[in-house]
Amino acid sequence: MKIQQMSDAELAGQPAAYWTGIAYEALIAYTRAQQVAKGYTQPQFWLLRNLSENDISPDGQGMTVPELREAMASYIRPEDDLAAEAEPLLERGWLTRDAEDWLWLTKEGEQARVDLARNAPAIRAALHEGIDDADYVTTMKVLQRMIHNAGGPVA
């Protein structure tokens, strides 16, 4: 793919919201395609992460699908069906479901989470190809400032 070259003056007049939306969709699509090629989906990985006391879960306790959906509210996509995404994980023995419909991470699920996380550096490297860290950091700072200026939350 050829990158369209614009002058600095043209770029300065471009709407950030448009380009951040395009970037978001492209980055998510790429990441999800890479994960599917490895045999899992992004929501499945998130389920494992949110149930792991060694990752996002504060206590490693089980959670219901609605609780997981709430925990993932800031990054889950509208088309993500966590109940359906959990089924293959249950079949693989990576999750179990108790009588109260809580999902729990198994020992095998924890190992799968660790194994699947090893794919992230290659995905990041492909997305960051041709971008030095200084430019990336500058971009993140600019985006954070724009979010702040718009009254949004900045971590």
Side-chain angles (χ1 to χ4, degrees):
M1 176 178 101
K2 184 175 187 265
I3 297 174
Q4 181 180 353
Q5 296 297 319
M6 292 185 204
S7 70
D8 287 356
E10 290 171 318
L11 285 171
Q14 291 291 303
Y18 170 77
W19 287 108
T20 56
I22 295 294
Y24 172 77
E25 292 299 330
L27 296 171
I28 293 295
Y30 179 84
T31 299
R32 286 183 172 213
Q34 296 304 303
Q35 291 171 324
V36 166
K38 298 283 188 181
Y40 65 100
T41 67
Q42 190 172 51
Q44 289 169 349
F45 185 55
W46 289 338
L47 285 166
L48 297 176
R49 292 191 67 203
N50 275 273
L51 292 168
S52 173
E53 66 183 333
N54 298 310
D55 202 335
I56 296 174
S57 174
D59 55 14
Q61 294 298 304
M63 297 173 76
T64 64
V65 169
E67 290 170 332
L68 285 158
R69 190 175 300 114
E70 178 64 28
M72 298 181 207
S74 67
Y75 52 88
I76 194 168
R77 292 177 58 97
E79 67 269 21
D80 294 339
D81 180 346
L82 294 183
E85 294 287 352
E87 289 304 316
L89 303 180
L90 290 160
E91 291 168 11
R92 293 175 185 161
W94 294 356
L95 297 180
T96 60
R97 181 180 287 131
D98 68 18
E100 284 81 42
D101 225 19
W102 286 38
L103 296 173
W104 295 84
L105 185 65
T106 65
K107 181 179 168 184
E108 295 80 10
E110 176 60 18
Q111 185 59 55
R113 182 195 65 79
V114 169
D115 294 343
L116 297 176
R118 291 187 181 118
N119 295 316
I123 294 170
R124 183 189 189 282
L127 292 172
H128 285 240
E129 185 179 339
I131 303 167
D132 71 25
D133 285 346
D135 287 342
Y136 183 77
V137 168
T138 297
T139 301
M140 294 298 103
K141 287 179 178 180
V142 167
L143 289 172
Q144 288 178 341
R145 182 59 196 206
M146 292 180 87
I147 293 164
H148 171 79
N149 291 347
V154 177

